[in-house]
Amino acid sequence: MWRGLGRPESPKIAAVLIAGNWKMFKGAHEARSFTTRIRNLPVRTPGVDVVVCPAFAALQGALEGLGSDSAVRVYAQSVHWEIEGAYTGEVSAPMLLELGASGAIVGHSERRQLFGETDDTVRRRAECALEAGLAVIACVGETETEREAGKTEGVLARQVSFVPAHEHLVLAYEPVWAIGTGKTAGPDVAQETHAYIRSLHPAPILYGGSVKPENAAALLAQPDVDGALVGGASLDPASFEAVCLVAAEIVAA
Ligand code: PEP
């Protein structure tokens, strides 16, 4: 069990991390209603670090819904590798910190596949964010073709080699074939792959790929699964809460 990531200055507690990736869903209004509903969720989920990752335009709304005393944290879905500059359409780490965001995802497979993200830009984004004081969730994962060709370990080794080691960085293993498809790496495959990643990098490792309340317990019970990055099932407050409650049961067991 890893020692949870708080805001960089917060004390560490034994914890699992459950992060909801809202992708390009939920504007500011919906984000505010959602977080208003879950602002006290951590009281019912001891040992679980709860994170939501809204689109840039909904960060402020999500933070407003949480108010000043919620333990739920808000991460962006990406962050630029420079502090400022002529980078139209990008958002920097200091801008996120000024809003009150605590961290950022980097290297999500949708960024890699659809927006030209490379191992090197993932590294640069992660390094800049960490240096600025944000926590980071760095995503890695193989495609179905790569897995079928027996290239999973090579792909992961290459991707992980670009991810800096830092006390405020966690990895997310997200097999691309399991994202948004309803296919999940079974607990055994998840465990085996996490153990391999663990041999390469010291960070805690979240599993991501069609995690739902029904399969979360089996995945989170694996010794090298330190939490979950949840896409589709994080869009509905009831199912996101259910995943967090399952995680709390695992922590308490
Ligand atoms: C994700 O987008 O990070 C993700 C894991 O999505 P889903 O849970 O919908 O597969």
Side-chain angles (χ1 to χ4, degrees):
M1 182 90 31
W2 68 294
R3 302 191 54 90
L5 277 182
R7 290 179 191 272
E9 72 276 10
S10 70
K12 303 288 194 305
I13 54 165
V16 298
L17 172 58
I18 304 295
N21 174 16
W22 291 352
K23 311 193 184 202
M24 200 175 72
F25 297 101
K26 300 189 189 303
H29 179 75
E30 206 184 338
R32 192 180 299 107
S33 320
F34 190 115
T35 55
T36 300
R37 170 166 166 169
I38 64 157
R39 59 188 295 175
N40 293 322
L41 176 60
V43 175
R44 293 188 287 137
T45 60
V48 180
D49 283 346
V50 181
V51 170
V52 291
C53 309
F56 288 131
L59 287 168
Q60 183 72 50
L63 287 157
E64 284 169 6
L66 292 174
S68 57
D69 57 355
S70 174
V72 176
R73 285 168 294 121
V74 175
Y75 286 18
Q77 295 172 14
S78 187
V79 56
H80 195 58
W81 57 76
E82 294 288 348
I83 294 299
E84 63 178 6
Y87 299 103
T88 303
E90 291 288 331
V91 174
S92 73
M95 293 171 184
L96 296 175
L97 286 161
E98 185 180 344
L99 273 181
S102 304
I105 299 172
V106 300
H108 191 279
S109 64
E110 287 152 13
R111 304 285 326 158
R112 292 178 189 260
Q113 295 199 312
L114 303 174
F115 300 102
E117 194 79 84
T118 66
D119 292 328
D120 195 52
T121 58
V122 172
R123 175 188 63 77
R124 293 167 72 192
R125 290 182 200 279
E127 285 176 353
C128 184
L130 291 163
E131 196 172 325
L134 289 171
V136 167
I137 298 173
C139 302
V140 296
E142 80 288 359
T143 64
E144 191 156 34
T145 313
E146 288 164 341
R147 179 163 279 271
E148 282 170 0
K151 294 182 177 164
T152 299
E153 291 196 352
V155 169
L156 292 174
R158 191 201 72 235
Q159 291 177 342
V160 168
S161 74
F162 283 82
V163 176
H166 190 284
E167 63 173 324
H168 297 299
L169 180 135
V170 302
L171 288 161
Y173 168 58
E174 297 208 308
V176 178
W177 46 271
I179 296 180
T181 59
K183 293 185 198 170
T184 316
D188 293 349
V189 172
Q191 168 54 27
E192 183 184 73
T193 315
H194 280 226
Y196 174 67
I197 296 170
R198 178 89 75 216
S199 74
L200 304 172
H201 199 286
I205 309 162
L206 314 183
Y207 171 77
S210 299
V211 174
K212 308 178 196 58
E214 306 81 62
N215 60 21
L219 289 160
L220 292 170
Q222 300 306 312
D224 289 304
V225 176
D226 302 311
L229 182 54
V230 186
S234 75
L235 296 174
D236 170 54
S239 74
F240 185 61
E241 284 174 355
V243 172
C244 294
L245 288 163
V246 167
E249 282 172 25
I250 299 285
V251 172

